[in-house]
Amino acid sequence: MTGVQFGELPLLNENSGVRSCAYSPDGISFAAGLLSGDIQVYSTSNWERIRTLKGHTGWVLGIVYHPKGDQMASCSTDTTLRLWDVETGACVYVITGHTKFVSGVAYSPQGDQIASASGDGAVRLWDLDTGDCCVTLSGHISPTLCVAYSPKNSQIASGSEDRTVRLWDVEIAECIGILSGHSDRVWCVAYSPRGHQLASASEDKTIRLWDMETGACCRVLMGHGHAVFSVAYSSRSDRVASGGMDGVRLWDVETGVCLQTLTGHGDTVYSVNYSPKGDQIASGSGDKTVRLWDVSSGPLRVDSKGYSHGVFSVKCSPKGDQIVSGGMDTTVQLWDAQTGVCLKVLRGHTTTVSSVTYSSQGDQIASSSRDNTVRLWNVESGDCRHVLRGHSGYVQDVAFSPQGDQVASVSCDQSARLWDVTTGECCATLNGHTGNVNSVAYSPDGRQIATGSGDRTIRLWTVENGELHQTLRGHENYVRSVVYSPQGSQLASSGGDMTVRLWDVEDGECRFILVGHRDCVWCVTYSQKGNLLASGSHDKTVRLWDTVSGECRAAIQNFQDIIRAVDWNTTSDGVYLVTGGDDGSVLKWQVVEEEGLCRVRLQWSATNGTLTMTGASIEDVRGLTQTNKQLLKQRGAVGEPEHLFREISKKVMTMASVVFKLKQRSDKVVQDPSPNDISPSEQPSPQVEETNIDWVSIF
C-alpha cells in the first residue's frame, strides 16, 4: 500500500521525543536518537527493540551508521560525539573539541573519517583511528546545523543559520563553493546516492535541489507550510522525503511535484530516512514516536488535485483577442479570448513551462521552461523559430522588449540573459544576484529591465550596456514577480513576505506596501490605464489594488488552488482579468468600475486538462449556449442524437447543469470584506467587491 503507515515504534521514556534516526546500510537494524540522550536500536525484521545505548547527557541531534554497518556515530547538545560498536552496544570513543552543541555528523565514503557540524560555527573532521581532530573548516558566520559527505568524491556540504550551504574540498581543506538562495537557516543537507545532486531543507519552508556540477539551484520544492528540518533521497535518487513542523512529504526529483503528504504525527518531524531498498520511510517526531511508512507499491498520487496540469503563466495578446498559457503539462496553449476555445497547442518543452509572453506585435510568443531553455514561437503557424540555450538552471521568466527585437530571460543560475530575436544569439549576460532570479520585466521605453530574486532584492539594469543602475531593497523574503506600470514611473513587486510593494522608479523609494494576502504573492500585473494592480497568491485569492491610494479595491476568493498567474485583457468590449492556477484552470473575469466600486464577474473558464466527450450528442441538450457547444465539440461531442451511450448522455446533462449554475453565479456580485480581515462573517467594506468560487471548473 503506497504511502500507508504500517508501524509505530513506542519509545520507552517520558522525555523520549525523537530528534534523529537512521537505517543501517544493510537495512537490518534501525536507530533512533532521543531528546533524553538515549539511542534505541531496533531489528527491522520484527521491529523489536534490541538495546538502548546510554552515554549522552543531552539531546541526540544526529545518528549515522558506518558504511560497513559495524559502527555508529552520534552527536549531541552535550557538545560531544560518540562512536558505538553496533554488535555489542559499547561506546568506543567519546570525541570532544567542539565548544557548543554538535548538530550533525557524517561518515566519509571510505569510513576512515567523520565530519561534524556545531553551534560554534565550525565543521571538524576526525580521524577514526585516533579520535583526533585532523581538520577544522571555518567560514560560516553563524552556527553550523548540518553536514554531509558526497558519496563519490572528497567533498562535504554544510548548512548553517547564516542561510547558506557551503561546499568544502576535504583534501585541501578549503571552501570551494557557497550555495545561496534560502532565506532562513538551513537545517539539513543530503547528497543523492549518485552524488550528482544535493538537497537542502530550510526554515524558509522550502527544499532546494542543487546541481553539483554547476552549483546552480535546479529546483525549489514548495508545499510545506512551516520549517523543514530533514530531507532524504531514495536509493534510486528519483524521490526525496522531507519532514517538518507540518509532517512528511514525498517529492518527485525530476518534476519537483509533491507526490504525497504523509499525516499522522502529532508534533514536528525532525528526521526522515529511506530504507536502503527505498521501499520504506521512517520518520521521527517530537510526539515520541517513530512512524514507518510503506512507499513500495505503485506510483504515488499527486497530492494536489489537478496539479499535474497546473497553469503557471497566462498572458493576453496585444489586441486582446487571444490568451496564451503554460504550465505543468509542458505545453504552451493558445486560447480564444472571447469564447475560451483552445486554438493551438505548442509542443517542444520537455518539462514545466514557467512563463509565456507575447511580442508587442502579437506575432510571436516566448516561453521559458524548467528544461533550461527559452523557445520563440510563430503565433500563426505554431512553429518554434528558435530554442535559446545558455542557462545552466531552470529558466523562471521571460519578457519581450517593447520593440520586439529582444527577449530577456532569468534563471535559477542567478543570471539574466538578453537574446537577439532574429538570430537567437545571447547578446548579454547580467550577473550580480546571489539567489535564483525569478522575474524579469522591460520598462515601457525598453531602456531598462528589472529583475527580482531570491536574494530579496530587485535590480534595475541599463539595457544598452548591461550595467546595474539601481538595487531596490525592502522585501523580507524572496521576490517572485516584478512589473513596470504602463507609464514607466512605478514598479510593482511581490514575493514570499506576503506583500506587494510599489516603487518609484526614479528615486528607488518604496511608496506603498500592500498588505492583505496571507501567503506568498506569486504574480502582479498593471491594468492598461495603470490605475489598478492585480495580484495572485498562494492563499488562493486574487486582489485588485488602487495604485494611487494603495487600497484594496476587490478580492476574488475561494479558488480551488494556488493562483500563479494573472494578466489584464482590455478590448473594445471592456476590461477583463485572466487568472491561472494549480488546479489547471484558466478563468476570464470582467472588471467594471462604477460609482467608486470595482465589480468582478466570471465570463468563462477553461482547463488545461482534457475532458473527453467523444461520441456525445449535444444537439438536444437544454441550457447550452453556442459557446458552450463549441467547448464541448472541441472535446469530441457531436450534433447527431443517434447511437448514444447512456453514460455519455449523463455526462452531457451534468455539464449542462454546471453551465447553468456557472452562469447564475457569474451574474452575482458580492461585497468583499476589509483587506485586513477577509473573514466572510465580518462586516463588508463598501469599497471592496468580491466574487466567490465554490464550484469545480470542468471546462
Side-chain angles (χ1 to χ4, degrees):
M1 295 173 63
T2 298
V4 174
Q5 181 186 333
F6 69 88
E8 179 177 309
L9 308 184
L11 303 169
L12 307 179
N13 191 302
E14 62 180 7
N15 187 32
S16 59
V18 183
R19 194 60 177 79
S20 54
C21 57
Y23 281 93
S24 64
D26 56 12
I28 293 175
S29 65
F30 176 85
L34 311 184
L35 301 182
S36 64
D38 295 346
I39 299 169
Q40 294 190 358
V41 184
Y42 297 82
S43 168
T44 58
S45 62
N46 54 17
W47 290 104
E48 290 185 359
R49 186 164 58 94
I50 303 171
R51 62 179 58 90
T52 299
L53 310 181
K54 294 182 177 290
H56 283 299
T57 58
W59 297 358
V60 181
L61 298 180
I63 298 177
V64 63
Y65 278 87
H66 189 279
K68 293 181 179 179
D70 58 344
Q71 192 182 79
M72 185 165 55
S74 60
C75 61
S76 170
T77 56
D78 64 11
T79 74
T80 70
L81 296 105
R82 287 179 176 257
L83 304 183
W84 309 84
D85 185 290
V86 170
E87 186 175 350
T88 65
C91 180
V92 180
Y93 277 121
V94 178
I95 299 176
T96 60
H98 284 296
T99 58
K100 291 187 178 180
F101 61 87
V102 186
S103 47
V105 61
Y107 277 98
S108 65
Q110 298 77 21
D112 58 340
Q113 285 184 346
I114 59 172
S116 60
S118 170
D120 59 20
V123 175
R124 291 176 181 258
L125 307 184
W126 309 84
D127 187 292
L128 290 187
D129 290 332
T130 64
D132 294 333
C133 177
C134 48
V135 176
T136 300
L137 306 176
S138 300
H140 285 296
I141 59 175
S142 297
T144 308
L145 302 175
C146 50
V147 65
Y149 263 97
S150 169
K152 70 175 186 178
N153 56 32
S154 59
Q155 185 185 93
I156 64 173
S158 58
S160 168
E161 279 193 11
D162 65 12
R163 304 180 296 190
T164 69
V165 175
R166 284 181 176 254
L167 305 179
W168 310 84
D169 188 304
V170 175
E171 293 182 358
I172 62 176
E174 289 186 2
C175 178
I176 57 174
I178 301 176
L179 310 182
S180 300
H182 283 297
S183 58
D184 212 325
R185 58 176 65 96
V186 180
W187 282 108
C188 184
V189 289
Y191 282 93
S192 65
R194 288 162 38 200
H196 71 300
Q197 202 174 73
L198 180 80
S200 56
S202 171
E203 185 92 10
D204 67 8
K205 311 176 190 178
T206 71
I207 301 103
R208 287 178 176 261
L209 307 184
W210 309 86
D211 187 302
M212 286 294 93
E213 286 190 12
T214 65
C217 178
C218 49
R219 285 163 194 78
V220 181
L221 311 183
M222 302 181 67
H224 280 286
H226 300 279
V228 188
F229 289 104
S230 182
V231 63
Y233 278 90
S234 66
S235 56
R236 294 187 299 177
S237 301
D238 59 340
R239 291 175 182 165
V240 293
S242 59
M245 294 178 70
D246 55 358
V248 178
R249 285 178 179 256
L250 307 185
W251 309 83
D252 185 282
V253 169
E254 180 64 28
T255 65
V257 172
C258 179
L259 299 172
Q260 197 160 19
T261 300
L262 309 181
T263 59
H265 280 296
D267 204 335
T268 298
V269 176
Y270 290 108
S271 182
V272 290
N273 277 268
Y274 269 96
S275 64
K277 293 182 180 179
D279 57 343
Q280 295 175 9
I281 289 174
S283 55
S285 169
D287 65 4
K288 306 180 183 181
T289 67
V290 172
R291 291 179 184 259
L292 308 173
W293 310 88
D294 184 347
V295 292
S296 59
S297 57
L300 296 178
R301 64 177 175 83
V302 174
D303 188 52
S304 176
K305 182 180 179 181
Y307 188 74
S308 61
H309 295 290
V311 179
F312 278 18
S313 181
V314 293
K315 285 292 188 300
C316 297
S317 64
K319 294 180 181 179
D321 58 337
Q322 286 185 3
I323 295 166
V324 62
S325 65
M328 288 290 293
D329 67 358
T330 77
T331 68
V332 176
Q333 300 193 26
L334 277 65
W335 308 83
D336 186 296
Q338 183 63 34
T339 66
V341 173
C342 184
L343 306 173
K344 285 187 181 76
V345 179
L346 312 182
R347 304 180 189 277
H349 286 296
T350 58
T351 186
T352 298
V353 178
S354 54
S355 179
V356 290
T357 188
Y358 280 94
S359 64
S360 56
Q361 295 79 19
D363 59 339
Q364 291 188 78
I365 288 170
S367 59
S368 64
S369 170
R370 290 182 177 178
D371 62 14
N372 299 1
T373 69
V374 173
R375 287 178 176 259
L376 304 182
W377 309 83
N378 181 285
V379 171
E380 185 175 353
S381 67
D383 295 333
C384 179
R385 295 183 58 246
H386 289 296
V387 181
L388 311 182
R389 305 180 191 275
H391 284 294
S392 59
Y394 287 172
V395 186
Q396 299 282 73
D397 196 15
V398 63
F400 268 102
S401 65
Q403 296 77 19
D405 59 341
Q406 195 178 77
V407 292
S409 60
V410 293
S411 168
C412 289
D413 64 12
Q414 303 183 1
S415 75
R417 287 177 177 255
L418 306 182
W419 308 83
D420 186 290
V421 169
T422 303
T423 65
E425 296 295 323
C426 178
C427 44
T429 301
L430 312 180
N431 294 307
H433 282 295
T434 58
N436 293 349
V437 191
N438 299 318
S439 182
V440 62
Y442 276 91
S443 62
D445 60 11
R447 296 178 180 178
Q448 192 179 81
I449 65 167
T451 55
S453 169
D455 63 13
R456 310 183 187 190
T457 70
I458 300 150
R459 290 178 179 248
L460 307 184
W461 311 80
T462 302
V463 171
E464 186 177 2
N465 55 24
E467 292 183 358
L468 178 64
H469 172 66
Q470 194 170 193
T471 301
L472 311 182
R473 292 182 170 86
H475 279 287
E476 297 175 1
N477 208 323
Y478 55 86
V479 180
R480 198 62 190 80
S481 181
V482 293
V483 62
Y484 284 90
S485 67
Q487 298 77 23
S489 58
Q490 193 178 76
L491 181 84
S493 63
S494 67
D497 60 4
M498 302 184 287
T499 69
V500 176
R501 292 173 185 254
L502 305 184
W503 308 82
D504 188 295
V505 172
E506 186 174 349
D507 60 19
E509 294 295 320
C510 180
R511 299 302 184 200
F512 290 107
I513 301 176
L514 311 181
V515 179
H517 286 295
R518 297 188 173 183
D519 211 324
C520 168
V521 186
W522 285 100
C523 49
V524 286
T525 182
Y526 281 94
S527 64
Q528 190 177 65
K529 292 181 180 179
N531 63 317
L532 289 177
L533 183 81
S535 58
S537 171
H538 205 87
D539 65 9
K540 305 178 185 178
T541 71
V542 170
R543 287 180 174 265
L544 306 185
W545 309 87
D546 188 300
T547 59
V548 177
S549 67
E551 294 179 355
C552 181
R553 297 287 307 282
I556 311 174
Q557 300 189 117
N558 298 338
F559 282 93
Q560 295 298 311
D561 217 322
I562 299 162
I563 300 300
R564 295 187 188 268
V566 291
D567 197 25
W568 293 90
N569 175 229
T570 303
T571 67
S572 57
D573 296 332
V575 177
Y576 301 90
L577 186 72
V578 180
T579 62
D582 279 7
D583 63 356
S585 65
V586 177
L587 294 88
K588 184 179 177 183
W589 308 84
Q590 185 178 24
V591 181
V592 179
E593 293 183 87
E594 56 185 14
E595 299 178 357
L597 297 177
C598 187
R599 302 181 184 275
V600 181
R601 67 174 62 185
L602 182 68
Q603 188 183 42
W604 57 252
S605 169
T607 259
N608 228 20
T610 301
L611 178 64
T612 302
M613 299 297 294
T614 305
S617 173
I618 57 175
E619 186 170 298
D620 299 320
V621 178
R622 297 181 181 180
L624 295 178
T625 65
Q626 193 59 36
T627 298
N628 302 146
K629 290 180 180 180
Q630 276 184 282
L631 291 169
L632 294 174
K633 284 182 178 180
Q634 184 188 354
R635 288 159 176 79
V638 296
E640 298 298 327
E642 288 85 15
H643 309 296
L644 296 183
F645 292 99
R646 194 172 294 176
E647 187 62 31
I648 293 178
S649 298
K650 181 180 177 182
K651 189 185 291 185
V652 174
M653 293 304 294
T654 301
M655 214 171 209
S657 174
V658 171
V659 169
F660 178 72
K661 291 178 181 178
L662 187 150
K663 183 178 185 304
Q664 281 186 319
R665 296 185 181 191
S666 69
D667 290 336
K668 292 183 180 180
V669 179
V670 184
Q671 289 190 328
D672 178 42
S674 163
N676 295 322
D677 189 347
I678 57 175
S679 170
S681 62
E682 295 293 322
Q683 174 140 13
S685 163
Q687 299 301 315
V688 184
E689 298 293 323
E690 166 190 282
T691 301
N692 287 315
I693 309 175
D694 55 5
W695 41 270
V696 178
S697 171
I698 60 173
F699 285 145

